[in-house]
Amino acid sequence: MRSLFFGLIFLAVVAVAIVAWLWQDMQRELHSPMPVAATTDYSVERGMTLRTIATDLHQRGWISQPYYLLLAARQQDLGGRIKAGEYVIEPGTTPQDFLAVIVSGRVKQYSLTIVEGWNYRELLAAVRTHPKLEQTLAAGLERDPAALAETLALSHPHPEGLFYPDTYNFPAGTTDVQFLQRAHRTLLAVLEQEWDGRKDDLPYESAYEALIMASIIEKETAVAAERGEIAGVFYRRLKTGMRLQTDPTVIYAIGENYDGNLRRADLQFESPYNTYVSDGLPPTPIAMAGRASIHAALHPQPGETLYFVSRGDGTHYFSRNLQEHNRAVAKYQLGRKGIELPNE
């Protein structure tokens, strides 16, 4: 009996020693950096289990004992909390860190910038060629704006101007529809904020009409200081019944046939978008407008100017009457020297 007793004690001591050694070995592996030489993207696909992930890490040579990872996850109740996505694994990451990463949901982010002044076809081209956006939109929607607007459940039946220009971050696997709907929701939120703070006595019946004006301002100038003054010119033209007569609307009307040169005949091109032949605003925006242009459309600068012409350096000369405007055109567009203008 004594021999049996001491034998059992010996086995118990050995078992405790083995368990202690295994525990220490597990802690050493869990808290030692994995042999990741450079920043690496690791994808957790939908449906992957922690056992699958542990086996994959073992096959990569990142961990030596996959069961340690499984045991640690079970102890911390993490097994059912892993989230699918693409994660960034940095050099120095330990297996314990790795577990924390894949349950955090902090997936790798990609970005796409919607540029102020783009039209919806340019936006769609950028979306279609982004390698990390999942493509679900049918081909040919560039040629069918009504179908595109319906597919995206937009607030208007034409998609032009209905996406807010900004840089958007998103994880891999985001669909093209999700991205575009997010940009649309952002546009609606910004437009509502600006509309609520608008000046009184504006010639717009709705926020959408203000967005149309903002798109024209966006295409007319890239100079921030000029936006309010250009808005003022168009405001006064609308109030007095003058046509807007703005070149960007003609270019938009011509569309893909525009070759970079605007001719006198083009100004007579029959289209509801051509503000040289049509009264009031075009039927839709002609581009995507940023907040600054939207704000300018809703806060036109007071004054008396009714005309403006490009100086050729990105800025414009503003005139109060047609006679002064014609002299400015002669000086800046036709290159006639010696012409003096009132405020120069």
Side-chain angles (χ1 to χ4, degrees):
M1 292 294 293
R2 174 178 286 185
S3 297
L4 179 60
F5 175 74
F6 282 111
L8 291 175
I9 291 177
F10 174 77
L11 291 176
V13 170
V14 171
V16 169
I18 292 174
V19 170
W21 181 87
L22 288 173
W23 176 259
Q24 291 177 355
D25 190 56
M26 184 178 78
Q27 295 303 311
R28 184 166 48 250
E29 170 148 325
L30 289 175
H31 296 91
S32 296
M34 298 185 296
V36 180
T39 300
T40 303
D41 295 339
Y42 188 89
S43 294
V44 177
E45 306 295 340
R46 295 188 184 280
M48 286 181 71
T49 65
L50 190 58
R51 184 177 296 275
T52 304
I53 295 170
T55 300
D56 179 57
L57 296 185
H58 178 62
Q59 292 172 346
R60 289 170 178 251
W62 288 9
I63 59 176
S64 60
Q65 297 293 340
Y67 294 108
Y68 288 167
L69 195 70
L70 294 173
L71 182 58
R74 183 171 299 173
Q75 289 176 331
Q76 299 168 61
D77 194 27
L78 301 179
R81 294 165 53 191
I82 60 173
K83 298 178 176 65
E86 190 174 19
Y87 296 92
V88 178
I89 307 302
E90 301 285 356
T93 298
T94 67
Q96 183 63 57
D97 295 336
F98 179 86
L99 279 177
V101 167
I102 64 173
V103 301
S104 70
R106 295 191 297 270
V107 296
K108 182 176 181 179
Q109 297 289 306
Y110 294 89
S111 66
L112 175 59
T113 299
I114 300 178
V115 179
E116 295 174 347
W118 270 3
N119 60 44
Y120 82 91
R121 290 189 180 91
E122 291 171 309
L123 170 58
L124 205 54
V127 168
R128 288 197 186 280
T129 56
H130 196 287
K132 292 299 180 177
L133 283 173
E134 184 179 338
Q135 303 299 319
T136 66
L137 289 171
L141 287 179
E142 297 87 344
R143 305 287 180 179
D144 193 346
L148 178 61
E150 182 178 2
T151 299
L152 297 177
L154 301 182
S155 57
H156 291 272
H158 196 292
E160 196 63 85
L162 294 184
F163 308 94
Y164 187 67
D166 201 354
T167 297
Y168 295 87
N169 297 318
F170 53 88
T174 299
T175 69
D176 45 11
V177 171
Q178 290 171 331
F179 176 87
L180 291 169
Q181 288 179 334
R182 177 184 171 192
H184 178 57
R185 290 193 302 270
T186 304
L187 181 281
L188 294 180
V190 171
L191 184 59
E192 181 181 8
Q193 291 171 2
E194 292 294 336
W195 179 255
D196 288 345
R198 68 190 182 278
K199 291 183 67 174
D200 296 331
D201 193 32
L202 294 175
Y204 315 127
E205 295 184 1
S206 65
Y208 186 69
E209 287 193 354
L211 183 64
I212 295 174
M213 176 60 77
S215 73
I216 297 173
I217 296 168
E218 191 70 64
K219 296 299 288 186
E220 279 287 8
T221 185
V223 179
E226 288 191 343
R227 290 192 178 103
E229 191 163 6
I230 286 177
V233 169
F234 290 143
Y235 163 82
R236 287 182 285 278
R237 283 180 166 242
L238 287 176
K239 293 288 283 186
T240 58
M242 292 179 64
R243 287 177 175 167
L244 295 181
Q245 295 184 322
T246 170
D247 292 353
T249 63
V250 183
I251 294 170
Y252 187 84
I254 296 171
E256 295 179 356
N257 293 324
Y258 178 62
D259 62 4
N261 294 313
L262 201 58
R263 302 169 180 84
R264 186 178 297 274
D266 295 328
L267 304 185
Q268 302 304 314
F269 182 74
E270 286 295 333
S271 168
Y273 285 95
N274 182 355
T275 55
Y276 279 86
V277 298
S278 299
D279 296 332
L281 293 165
T284 74
I286 61 171
M288 280 165 272
R291 183 185 285 270
S293 291
I294 296 173
H295 186 82
L298 294 168
H299 298 82
Q301 184 173 315
E304 300 177 356
T305 56
L306 288 170
Y307 304 88
F308 59 90
V309 64
S310 173
R311 287 190 174 102
D313 61 359
T315 65
H316 295 82
Y317 180 87
F318 294 83
S319 304
R320 293 175 176 81
N321 55 61
L322 185 58
Q323 182 180 13
E324 181 184 352
H325 175 65
N326 287 337
R327 293 205 308 272
V329 170
K331 178 175 182 177
Y332 294 114
Q333 298 293 307
L334 303 179
R336 296 175 184 169
K337 300 179 179 180
I339 297 177
E340 295 184 1
L341 295 169
N343 57 350
E344 289 194 333

